[in-house]
Amino acid sequence: MTKRISSTQRRLIPAYIFLVIFSLICVFPFYWMLTAATNQSLDVARGKIVFGTYLMENLKNLLESQNLWRALGNSFLYSTVQTLISIFVCSLGGYGFELYHDPGKDRVFSVLLLAMMVPQVAVMIPLFKMMSAWGLLNSVWAFILPSISTPFLIMLFRQNSRTFPMDLMDAGRIDGLGEIAIYFRVYMPVMKSTYAAAGVITFMNSWNAYLWPKVVMSDDRAQTMPMLIANLASGYTVDYGMLMLGVLFCSVPTIIIFFILQKQFAEGITGSVKG
């Protein structure tokens, strides 16, 4: 027996059609990137959007013209180190601002938020002079030090800490835990979704960073994936198949990390607290 469609379901049909069409539009650039990576440059320029047979040739040309594995390794190293240090430092900031709250800290936090209004290019020259004076150019520290603490992540942890159950801190103190132990053994496990959201945001921003690494990384041995992609696109004759394959290598790690942590990311952004 055929199941009848209710009037409510009929009203939702246009919305579903719109969402399907919009989803296809959003997915198409990724599909085009995949197909372009398997075609010759001329075919890509002509607008061919079906899979070809030149994937291995494009990979061979990419490996011959650029040090792909070193760039991937550098990006993983820089992004991982920056993510771990940033979420630790910024979570400490948000933890202190909210759970040890007083009016004076509100004024300090307001000043901190003003830093979000300062464009990166306004402080790039002073930062470069600092890195040069300290002898840190072409090193992981030149990459990560300017972004270890960001007002946005501190604000994220502070806002989400407002839902943190204070009774757990009191219970920890009754059990004899110190303030540092409470942070590591009570706060961090409860706020794991916020850590996941902050980790995804920081890793993606670090992985996709181009301007600052380009300023402080003049040695080819220190180049990252965005710098490698820029090199592929800056020649007199651009091999679009090889370029799209490089973009594919650059995109896949962030896509995988986001899909692995998407549930925790959504919970962290909405301020959910999980025990």
Side-chain angles (χ1 to χ4, degrees), residues 243-261:
L243 174 62
M244 288 298 103
L245 184 59
V247 174
L248 179 62
F249 274 104
C250 188
S251 303
V252 167
T254 55
I255 293 174
I256 292 175
I257 289 175
F258 179 78
F259 275 104
I260 291 174
L261 298 175

Side-chain angles (χ1 to χ4, degrees), residues 5-81:
I5 300 177
S6 66
S7 57
T8 303
Q9 292 174 324
R10 289 195 189 96
R11 288 195 297 269
L12 291 175
I13 289 177
Y16 288 137
I17 294 175
F18 171 78
L19 291 174
V20 169
I21 295 174
F22 188 76
S23 298
L24 292 175
I25 293 174
C26 292
V27 171
F28 179 76
F30 297 99
Y31 170 78
W32 183 78
M33 176 180 66
L34 289 172
T35 58
T38 65
N39 285 296
Q40 288 181 307
S41 180
L42 184 60
D43 292 331
V44 177
R46 289 174 174 173
K48 184 178 178 181
I49 57 173
V50 295
F51 289 96
T53 58
Y54 287 87
L55 175 62
M56 298 310 299
E57 184 176 337
N58 289 334
L59 178 60
K60 178 182 177 182
N61 293 336
L62 178 60
L63 293 176
E64 290 177 350
S65 62
Q66 301 290 330
N67 197 328
L68 174 65
W69 307 125
R70 176 176 290 170
L72 275 173
N74 288 339
S75 289
F76 271 113
L77 174 63
Y78 301 158
S79 300
T80 302
V81 173

Side-chain angles (χ1 to χ4, degrees), residues 75 78-80 82-83 143 201-209:
S75 289
Y78 301 158
S79 300
T80 302
Q82 180 171 332
T83 299
F143 183 94
I201 294 171
T202 305
F203 187 89
M204 287 187 173
N205 288 339
S206 178
W207 183 274
N208 295 323

Side-chain angles (χ1 to χ4, degrees), residues 223-241:
Q223 76 172 352
T224 61
M225 283 302 299
M227 296 168 65
L228 183 145
I229 300 302
N231 291 340
L232 293 176
S234 61
Y236 289 104
T237 302
V238 179
D239 188 330
Y240 292 107

